Amino acid sequence: MSDLLERLRGRGWRLTSQRRVVAEVLDGDHVHLTADEVHARAARRLPEISRATVYNALGELVALGEVAEVSTDGRAKRYDPNAHHPHQHLVCSGCGLIRDVRPDGDPLAVLPAAERFGFAVSAVEITYRGLCPACARPGPPAAPSNDVRAPG
Amino acid sequence: MSDLLERLRGRGWRLTSQRRVVAEVLDGDHVHLTADEVHARAARRLPEISRATVYNALGELVALGEVAEVSTDGRAKRYDPNAHHPHQHLVCSGCGLIRDVRPDGDPLAVLPAAERFGFAVSAVEITYRGLCPACARPGPPAAPSNDVRAPG
DNA sequence: TCTTGACTTGGATTGCGTCCATCGTAGGAT
DNA sequence: ATCCTACGATGGACGCAATCCAAGTCAAGA
């Protein structure tokens, strides 16, 4: 975490209080917050932080490769701080819960040359979909979840 | 194509001229149009068709399983008439060209049980990314493409 | 401490999509 | 062939996510 801030400063990132709280909010495992959720959490510590600043900081973190953008539904993008550990996503069709997962082998390798149409294929994004245990159980479905465990 | 219209009528779809042109616009291979592009093409044949009608028709075709929704960028959803043939997508990072591709084997099988967190995993969406031959070549990049070959 | 260019702000704006009240019409009934 | 009516089409208002912009603020090097 402070590693992250050090690394960013070493890359010429001016370390403002706004950027600091955005980076701090995006800490933890299986964290996939929308920009608005990041803004809400950041505002708990820095009430005057604006949405534009949150968008700016998120965009920079993505450009620097420190955070990954995830769009598992057609709605708002989510931001995943687990960018240094290649992974894919498993999404509950019921409540929206998102887990980071690692498939076996190299996902790129399963695309045959004949199916590459001459492309230089360099990356792959995979979204697995299904029902989480809570939503699969009979009874009332789980409340929509943003899958956040880190305290605000 | 007329197969499609027959099938839809058999399922109680009232066949209006608007729905017909939307279905016709969405014909062909490797077609991935946005709703706005569908509307523009439909309007060439039926100038008074409204955006709301296009959205309605697309939504119904998706619900009926005749068309698949694709969101390969964070922007507008695209509509893929190739829904009866399970496939994944290969997207050019330069120009946005989209190709339908078929990876080897069952993409679901590579997710180990230990990585399923108790989910009943039932579907998977894969986006491969890379540069198409035109964009990989030195020189001016290919113009942004909507990957449409079917004449308007 | 001073200076300056990078950063922040919030309101306007855009892009994509949905909603809604009203009007029109496909297609079964006669 | 004509009539009926429920389903579909229309377009303008609306909502949400994200970006843009001009003006004010401040981190950090000199």
Side-chain angles (χ1 to χ4, degrees):
Chain A
M1 183 56 231
S2 58
D3 297 353
L4 168 60
L5 295 177
E6 285 308 314
R7 226 180 309 141
L8 293 172
R9 211 163 41 158
R11 295 208 233 167
W13 224 47
R14 185 183 283 187
L15 197 38
T16 66
S17 54
Q18 292 87 348
R19 287 173 166 180
R20 184 189 303 275
V21 292
V22 168
E24 285 172 358
V25 160
L26 278 177
D27 191 29
D29 282 335
H30 301 283
V31 169
H32 310 92
L33 297 170
T34 64
D36 248 29
E37 288 162 356
V38 171
H39 176 252
R41 282 157 195 266
R44 297 219 279 264
R45 305 194 197 179
L46 203 62
E48 295 318 309
I49 191 170
S50 77
R51 280 178 173 67
T53 297
V54 170
Y55 276 106
N56 286 341
L58 290 173
E60 290 152 7
L61 288 167
V62 169
L64 290 167
E66 299 289 347
V67 165
E69 255 177 15
V70 182
S71 19
T72 52
D73 53 5
R75 324 283 300 164
K77 288 177 196 159
R78 293 180 174 274
Y79 293 87
D80 180 344
N82 197 10
H84 290 297
H85 300 273
H87 65 277
Q88 306 300 335
H89 292 105
L90 170 56
V91 180
C92 177
S93 316
C95 64
L97 181 82
I98 304 175
R99 308 292 323 232
D100 293 351
V101 296
R102 297 161 196 273
D104 275 338
D106 176 6
L108 277 183
V110 299
L111 189 63
E115 287 289 293
R116 297 191 181 206
F117 296 94
F119 280 54
V121 184
S122 55
V124 58
E125 295 151 25
I126 307 182
T127 303
Y128 299 93
R129 296 189 185 277
L131 285 179
C132 74
C135 289
R137 238 191 309 276
S145 161
N146 293 319
D147 183 27
V148 176
R149 247 146 241 104
Chain B
M1 182 58 233
S2 57
D3 297 353
L4 168 61
L5 295 178
E6 284 310 314
R7 225 180 311 141
L8 293 172
R9 213 164 39 157
R11 295 207 234 167
W13 224 47
R14 184 183 284 188
L15 197 38
T16 66
S17 53
Q18 292 85 349
R19 286 172 167 185
R20 184 188 303 274
V21 292
V22 169
E24 285 171 358
V25 161
L26 279 177
D27 190 29
D29 281 334
H30 301 285
V31 168
H32 309 92
L33 296 170
T34 64
D36 249 28
E37 289 162 354
V38 171
H39 176 252
R41 281 157 194 269
R44 298 219 278 265
R45 305 193 196 180
L46 203 63
E48 296 318 310
I49 193 172
S50 76
R51 286 187 213 305
T53 298
V54 170
Y55 276 105
N56 287 341
L58 290 173
E60 290 152 7
L61 288 168
V62 170
L64 289 167
E66 299 288 349
V67 165
E69 256 178 12
V70 182
S71 21
T72 52
D73 53 6
R75 324 282 300 162
K77 287 178 197 159
R78 293 179 174 275
Y79 293 87
D80 181 343
N82 197 10
H84 290 297
H85 302 273
H87 64 277
Q88 306 300 336
H89 293 104
L90 171 55
V91 180
C92 177
S93 317
C95 64
L97 180 82
I98 304 175
R99 308 290 324 234
D100 293 352
V101 296
R102 296 162 196 274
D104 275 337
D106 177 5
L108 276 183
V110 300
L111 189 64
E115 287 289 292
R116 297 192 180 205
F117 296 93
F119 279 54
V121 184
S122 54
V124 59
E125 296 151 23
I126 307 183
T127 303
Y128 299 93
R129 297 189 185 275
L131 286 179
C132 74
C135 288
R137 237 190 310 277
S145 162
N146 292 318
D147 185 26
V148 175
R149 248 146 240 103

